[in-house]
Amino acid sequence: MRLLRALLRGASPGSIPQQVDFYSRFSPSPLSMKQFLDFGSENACEKTSFMFLRQELPVRLANIMKEISLLPDNLLRTPSVQLVQSWYVQSLQEILDFKDKSSEDSGAIHSFTDTVIKIRNRHNDVIPTMAQGVTEYKESFGIDPVTSQNVQYFLDRFYMSRISIRMLLNQHSLLFGGKINPAHPKHIGSIDPSCNVVEVIRDGYESAKSLCDLYYMSSPELILEELNAKSPGQPMQVVYVPSHLYHMVFELFKNAMRATMEHNADRCIYPPIHVHVTLGNEDLTVKMSDRGGGVPMRKIDRLFNYMYSTAPRPRVETSRATPLAGFGYGLPISRLYAQYFQGDLKLYSLEGYGTDAVIYIKALSTESIERLPVYNKAAWKHYKGNHEADDWCVPSSEPKDMTTFRSI
């Protein structure tokens, strides 16, 4: 709380609250994968990126900062949420410092790139820190259905905004930060123009397998089948961010392996995990099937609920720790990565048998367009409006005794 107040006091006159109000009136400008690719490969110009980001970053930051301010007061008072707010205030102020700088000033442009890298590093732990704040709130005040619904709505939008802001920061810093990754010389920033989907899936499997072997002393095998219906006989490649795909498949493999090992522990025979990859004219689809016993239909939605995790609260120490360990955020964040470029992640479960997880990715870079939250009247109403009763009857846990009813 003190840090946030100090930052607000230290800002220039009429600055942060007014600037947030001003920039939140504008809608973010979603970019397509093709636009990211074309800019980086053909017209990579630090000056152009500087001019775009100094306008776009304040808009994206301000839009989500307005939504943070609509959270319950007790949640806003938690130390973790206060810390996250202070990061956003500081980052917005640092970007606004370049608002009136000349685009012809090479020194300012170089300084801007350094600032972008600093902001990116500052926000490394935004996801677990906000998760810590939600856990602190839940432990202190409990959760009612309306608050749970509002927090779920907010976190989906907050984390999607964070993914999009980080995408912009990564592209600029990787393209103009002076360092080229020797392992991926053909990448355009964080984007691989020819992302080998099968290779990324195998990498995710091997990482999850190492964890599974460490914990259970064994692991399920992988059976992978691929079908390129778009270009038969050709490698399965799309324009995509490999780190996003890796995050999704690694999380799904971890869940599938844990379920498989525990469901089949008595037999000590562990059925393999089947993965089917198909590339069509519009979609690239990855289906992962396990024999881990599945979950009841009523619990499927809970798997994507941030407030539902029953795991013990982990300590947030450094960004080098296993991401989201213990918060139960793996699946909802993975779904956001899929949805970010207009894809999706869905679960289909057969209780007693196993679960199919399906990732959908747009096959065309022109259709892979950022999905960005916008602060407007509709969003405001979601937080402030009264949630009306359901217009479907809720079944009782016990059937009514019809013999007690008398005819009229």
Side-chain angles (χ1 to χ4, degrees):
M1 179 71 81
R2 291 175 183 172
L3 177 58
L4 182 59
R5 286 174 179 168
L7 286 168
L8 290 172
R9 283 198 306 268
S12 56
S15 58
I16 293 301
Q18 291 82 0
Q19 295 287 9
V20 169
D21 286 340
F22 174 75
Y23 281 100
S24 65
R25 295 179 192 142
F26 301 93
S27 294
S29 302
L31 301 176
S32 70
M33 192 75 81
K34 186 176 187 307
Q35 287 174 307
F36 276 116
L37 198 63
D38 288 347
F39 171 80
S41 56
E42 297 175 8
N43 308 304
C45 172
E46 192 171 3
K47 177 176 136 181
T48 304
S49 182
F50 163 71
M51 294 172 66
F52 173 71
L53 290 184
R54 71 176 178 179
Q55 293 295 326
E56 182 64 15
L57 284 173
V59 171
R60 296 195 186 193
L61 288 167
N63 268 262
I64 203 62
M65 288 170 77
K66 289 293 285 187
E67 294 200 34
I68 293 176
S69 67
L70 296 176
L71 291 173
D73 289 341
N74 288 327
L75 179 54
L76 286 173
R77 292 191 189 103
T78 61
S80 297
V81 174
Q82 287 286 326
L83 180 58
V84 171
Q85 276 192 296
S86 72
W87 290 340
Y88 274 73
V89 169
Q90 191 172 354
S91 297
L92 177 60
Q93 183 61 61
E94 289 174 357
I95 294 295
L96 292 177
D97 287 343
F98 291 90
K99 183 175 64 173
D100 299 321
K101 300 285 187 183
S102 171
S103 59
E104 303 299 327
D105 183 348
S106 59
I109 293 176
H110 180 74
S111 178
F112 180 80
T113 299
D114 290 340
T115 299
V116 162
I117 295 172
K118 183 169 67 174
I119 291 173
R120 183 193 65 185
N121 294 339
R122 175 186 300 133
H123 288 246
N124 278 344
D125 290 331
V126 160
I127 292 179
T129 306
M130 179 60 80
Q132 183 99 349
V134 172
T135 303
E136 292 165 4
Y137 173 78
K138 186 165 66 170
E139 289 178 349
S140 298
F141 303 100
I143 290 293
D144 61 87
V146 172
T147 301
S148 178
Q149 185 177 341
N150 283 345
V151 171
Q152 180 74 22
Y153 175 81
F154 166 75
L155 288 178
D156 269 342
R157 294 165 65 82
F158 176 75
Y159 289 141
M160 184 68 88
S161 171
R162 191 260 184 184
I163 290 171
S164 78
I165 291 170
R166 197 162 187 84
M167 183 72 184
L168 295 182
L169 298 174
N170 273 334
Q171 286 304 104
H172 186 87
S173 59
L174 290 172
L175 288 171
F176 309 113
K179 293 181 180 179
I180 298 176
N181 189 343
H184 306 288
K186 294 184 179 179
H187 282 199
I188 308 301
S190 59
I191 299 171
D192 187 349
S194 304
C195 179
N196 189 318
V197 176
V198 172
E199 186 177 295
V200 175
I201 291 172
R202 291 193 185 278
D203 286 345
Y205 169 78
E206 291 299 330
S207 297
K209 182 180 186 297
S210 297
L211 290 177
C212 190
D213 287 337
L214 190 65
Y215 191 80
Y216 294 102
M217 308 302 291
S218 185
S219 56
E221 294 297 317
L222 169 65
I223 297 178
L224 194 151
E225 299 178 37
E226 51 185 299
L227 172 64
N228 191 337
K230 184 178 181 181
S231 303
Q234 297 298 313
M236 205 88 68
Q237 296 180 340
V238 291
V239 180
Y240 207 65
V241 184
S243 60
H244 290 187
L245 178 58
Y246 175 87
H247 182 106
M248 290 183 270
V249 296
F250 176 60
E251 182 62 33
L252 293 178
F253 273 127
K254 283 196 301 180
N255 292 342
M257 288 182 182
R258 183 174 64 248
T260 299
M261 299 304 292
E262 294 180 359
H263 182 67
N264 298 280
D266 293 341
R267 295 189 302 146
C268 293
I269 299 174
Y270 306 109
I273 296 172
H274 290 259
V275 174
H276 294 78
V277 188
T278 304
L279 178 61
N281 291 323
E282 293 188 20
D283 298 329
L284 181 138
T285 309
V286 178
K287 185 178 81 166
M288 185 182 301
S289 306
D290 68 57
R291 293 280 303 276
V295 295
M297 182 184 70
R298 67 182 175 84
K299 290 186 177 181
I300 288 291
D301 288 342
R302 295 181 188 176
L303 299 178
F304 293 102
N305 192 318
Y306 301 99
M307 308 296 286
Y308 181 67
S309 175
T310 57
R313 186 176 76 180
R315 289 186 300 169
V316 178
E317 293 176 347
T318 70
S319 57
R320 292 187 295 273
T322 303
L324 316 179
F327 283 114
Y329 280 25
L331 277 175
I333 296 294
S334 294
R335 181 169 66 175
L336 293 181
Y337 273 117
Q339 293 174 341
Y340 175 48
F341 280 115
Q342 304 299 326
D344 209 349
L345 190 160
K346 294 182 178 293
L347 297 181
Y348 305 94
S349 192
L350 288 75
E351 186 186 8
Y353 183 81
T355 300
D356 287 354
V358 185
I359 299 171
Y360 298 97
I361 294 172
K362 291 293 184 182
L364 300 176
S365 60
T366 51
E367 293 183 1
S368 298
I369 303 168
E370 290 183 293
R371 185 170 184 257
L372 305 176
V374 179
Y375 174 76
N376 54 22
K377 188 176 290 186
W380 184 88
K381 283 182 178 179
H382 191 98
Y383 294 101
K384 296 299 184 182
N386 292 323
H387 295 270
E388 297 180 359
D390 196 352
D391 55 357
W392 293 87
C393 64
V394 180
S396 171
S397 58
E398 295 291 335
K400 292 184 181 298
D401 182 1
M402 300 304 294
T403 61
T404 62
F405 285 83
R406 294 180 299 175
S407 58
I408 296 175

